[in-house]
Amino acid sequence: MTWDFCTEPEFERKLEWMRELMRSEILPLETLRGELGWEGLQQAVTPLQRQVRDQGLWAAHLDPELGGQGFGQVKLGLMHEVLGASPIAPLVFGNAAPDSGNSEILALAGTPEQKDRYLHPLLAGDLKSAFSMTEPETAGSDPTLLRTRAVRDGDDWVINGHKWFSTNGSIADFLIVMAVTDPEARPHSRASMFIVDADTPGVEMVRDVATMEHPYESYGLYGNHAEIVYRDVRVPASALLGAEGAGFLIAQQRLYPGRIHHCMRWLGVARRAFDMMCERALYRHAHGSALGGHGVVQGWIADSEAELSAARLMTLHAAWKMDTQGVLQARKEIALIKFYGARVLHDVVDRAVQVHGGLGYSTDLPLETMYRFARAARIYDGPDEVHRASVARQVLRGYRAPADEVPTEFIPARREAARQQFAELLASVTSND
Ligand SMILES: Cc1cc2nc3c(=O)[nH]c(=O)nc-3n(C[C@H](O)[C@H](O)[C@H](O)COP(=O)(O)OP(=O)(O)OC[C@H]3O[C@@H](n4cnc5c(N)ncnc54)[C@H](O)[C@@H]3O)c2cc1C
């Protein structure tokens, strides 16, 4: 089958429009983020959001009936590669996590009433949301271990549990909570999703967890990660999102395309770090030459270029496979890029920091922010190790152990078989001697 990652000229013009908006408006705004604060930033991006809507690029991950573009994954990927270079751009384009993923879940599994009440205001930017699955007491990398419970009580569900790392939880208007509804069911059918209004009695915001990204205690900031206790939280039956027991299925449908978008965003960040590294290699001199004249730095540049190209092609291939064959057929490719892309992002940013020396470590350059961002990429959305194991399992399914436990390529056995196959030839060659 022919691989084709081409896009029509009209879409290339849209990409060029996005690149120009990044250069002229979004990247300059980045430097004022601290001074503007969240309110100021929102004011600054509002006119840009209008331009994005006028271009028909708002919330492009959704289908046209929900105001999106119905772009396939290849186009979305190319778009995320441009926008990923700045953390502000997704806000401008209506595809910032976790709202983008949550809007996909609502679009996928929501009832018409849930779409009216939550999805449409979310897309309009009137509501904020969070996805509340990971728990401090159980391994997030194995969500079948979830302990948060939702128990049916008459027409209601009552939720009890302890979550953390619910991004934007402390500023969210509603939370999508994953809870076990049938502990006796098969592991992947035990949990369901619920839409919980943040002001429901029993939703207790414990704190925002300080992280490598925001190392100082703060509360209620955009991008913070909330620790939340759900104590006897009573929600109506209409809060169930999708079918009972379908929590994992819905999460998977959201996560697969989301991983392609993550990887393309990472490539946008890594390319920006790479550009900084190359620029630095040309003008900084040490030990008799520009840094780019030293073999080690040349190696870093060449390795980074190769890894970026490989990660980009792998990601576009995964996107193309999802577009042409469906999400299940692309599972291996998506797991592959999740850990490979996160590693490439990390390594390229790390080399760029190193080439800049002390300046790279300082906040005078965006590299240190990128480095912290890159570190998280290896953990969220499934740690590297889980995706590696998944790829290996899928690869191994394509192989069979030899019945006699002799390697297929074992030369003595192959030679013996070949002797029989070519007995006549061998006899004639031997008799010629
Ligand atoms: C920036 C950020 C944002 C996040 N946002 C959200 C959010 O919005 N909502 C939400 O619910 N969660 C969120 N999370 C949580 C995230 O999904 C979890 O941290 C992740 O799933 C890992 O779970 P854990 O932290 O419990 O680590 P654990 O499951 O305890 O894993 C720890 C380590 O164990 C190792 N490990 C695990 N399994 C295997 C294996 N099979 N083989 C070998 N080694 C293994 C890995 O090295 C792994 O890193 C976020 C996390 C971060 C860092």
Side-chain angles (χ1 to χ4, degrees), residues 97-98 102 129-143 145-146 163-169 176 178 211 213 223-226 254-255 372-373 375-390 393:
N102 290 339
S129 67
F131 185 69
S132 201
M133 178 156 104
T134 308
E135 304 171 342
E137 291 87 7
T138 62
S141 49
D142 183 359
L145 301 173
L146 284 180
K163 303 282 189 185
W164 77 338
F165 274 91
S166 302
T167 304
N168 282 351
I176 296 181
M178 186 87 134
T211 63
E213 193 185 354
N224 273 6
H225 311 289
R254 170 207 179 201
L255 289 173
R372 289 179 284 131
F373 171 76
R375 194 61 192 81
R378 296 185 47 209
I379 297 173
Y380 61 71
D381 213 356
D384 287 5
E385 294 72 20
V386 173
H387 292 288
R388 270 207 172 98
S390 158
R393 278 196 306 273

Side-chain angles (χ1 to χ4, degrees), residues 66 83 178 181 219 285 362 366 402:
L66 294 168
L83 306 181
M178 186 87 134
T181 40
Y219 183 77
H285 285 73
S362 79

Side-chain angles (χ1 to χ4, degrees), residues 55-104:
Q55 287 286 328
L57 293 168
W58 180 258
H61 53 289
L62 290 176
D63 285 339
E65 67 270 19
L66 294 168
Q69 293 301 306
F71 288 162
Q73 298 304 323
V74 169
K75 277 187 180 170
L76 280 176
L78 293 168
M79 181 174 171
H80 284 297
E81 183 181 25
V82 176
L83 306 181
S86 170
I88 294 177
L91 270 181
V92 175
F93 282 77
N95 56 27
D99 288 344
S100 55
N102 290 339
S103 63
E104 276 177 310

